[in-house]
Amino acid sequence: MLIRLLALSWAVATCCAGPLRQDANSWDCKSPSPMTPQQTILYTYVGENRIENQDAQHHLHVRANVEVGVVSPCLFSFKLSDVDLQGVSVANRYAFKEALERHTVLFHAEDGIVGEMRHDPAELPWALNVKRAIISMMQIPRTAIDANSIVSETDVFGTCETRYTPGNVGRSGGTVTKSKNLASCYGRFGSSLPIIYTPYESKVSPFQTIPMTNGSFVCQQTVDANRWITKAECK
């Protein structure tokens, strides 16, 4: 059994010049973010991976600071710092930390949907996937906050049918539940996850990966008055 527990918490917003300002005009922006350019949003990320079966007991804990910089109204920078890893050898821990902290990622987002991402060609694939997974936790369509919705969403899991169910959302913010049936995802082949999925293409089938894992991904997302994610807990 594979269990992933992820938590992302808003810490504070401060003004800080973004290091990748030169790319600010490289993407069109039809629906600007309410955040102010050159502002940096700080989060704390905590993740736990547990693999438990009769043959293995493996627990991996990750903690890191997340810096999301507002480069322009629809362009954001993403950087990890102070990465701490528990559950692996010291040598691997230092290599893991260095790889995750080395490069900054740029991503485009409009109306709460993350679009194209740009990264350094030297970025290791597994490190980029970790960053994609964290960025995915911050993804929420603006329309999903007002009513139940089902959208096709692309992130580290592939392209998946994603359900959004708003809770008690008012002018000051509220909560939204986000859920995916991972067996319905496609485009996730060659995954670095512990379970490797094989393509199964059938437009009429609800299953798009083999083995047919009975997995799901559920997030409880908290938004503020500007409909910006302040906290996300996923498993």
Side-chain angles (χ1 to χ4, degrees):
M1 176 174 61
L2 171 64
I3 302 174
R4 282 190 175 82
L5 302 175
L6 311 172
L8 188 70
S9 300
W10 170 289
V12 66
T14 60
C15 288
C16 176
L20 300 168
R21 184 76 180 176
Q22 66 273 18
D23 291 318
N25 298 318
S26 59
W27 277 307
D28 292 332
C29 184
K30 298 178 181 178
S31 181
S33 162
M35 306 307 293
T36 305
Q38 299 189 50
Q39 192 173 34
T40 297
I41 303 98
L42 305 180
Y43 293 92
T44 298
Y45 169 77
V46 179
E48 179 182 3
N49 261 19
R50 298 204 307 262
I51 300 176
E52 300 176 350
N53 56 45
Q54 61 182 4
D55 300 317
Q57 297 286 326
H58 177 70
H59 292 190
L60 179 66
H61 299 264
V62 183
R63 185 181 183 91
N65 291 331
V66 180
E67 302 173 14
V68 179
V70 185
V71 181
S72 67
C74 291
L75 184 63
F76 303 86
S77 63
F78 176 95
K79 184 173 178 58
L80 295 177
S81 62
D82 298 324
V83 175
D84 181 58
L85 179 69
Q86 301 294 329
V88 297
S89 68
V90 173
N92 288 338
R93 188 182 309 159
Y94 289 150
F96 184 95
K97 172 183 173 68
E98 197 275 336
L100 287 178
E101 294 181 351
R102 184 186 307 167
H103 300 296
T104 297
V105 171
L106 280 176
F107 67 93
H108 177 266
E110 285 193 63
D111 289 327
I113 298 296
V114 176
E116 184 181 351
M117 293 179 60
R118 294 182 182 175
H119 60 90
D120 192 293
E123 182 91 79
L124 296 173
W126 68 262
L128 182 60
N129 280 341
V130 170
K131 296 174 184 180
R132 283 174 170 161
I134 299 174
I135 291 172
S136 175
M137 296 174 69
M138 297 183 286
Q139 181 167 248
I140 179 171
R142 296 290 180 254
T143 55
I145 299 174
D146 300 317
N148 293 342
S149 59
I150 301 176
V151 300
S152 178
E153 190 172 281
T154 300
D155 57 19
V156 70
F157 294 109
T159 300
C160 313
E161 181 181 274
T162 306
R163 295 175 179 268
Y164 286 92
T165 306
N168 185 20
V169 180
R171 291 186 177 181
S172 61
T175 60
V176 177
T177 300
K178 169 182 180 176
S179 61
K180 303 174 188 282
N181 176 2
L182 299 185
S184 70
C185 302
Y186 61 91
R188 58 190 306 208
F189 318 120
S191 169
S192 60
L193 298 174
I195 300 175
I196 304 300
Y197 294 83
T198 302
Y200 173 76
E201 296 184 2
S202 173
K203 293 183 179 180
V204 298
S205 173
F207 299 105
Q208 293 297 322
T209 51
I210 300 176
M212 307 295 191
T213 56
N214 191 26
S216 62
F217 182 74
V218 180
C219 288
Q220 189 78 13
Q221 298 172 305
T222 303
V223 298
D224 64 6
N226 290 321
R227 301 193 171 190
W228 187 268
I229 296 286
T230 59
K231 183 179 181 180
E233 295 182 352
C234 306
K235 61 181 180 179

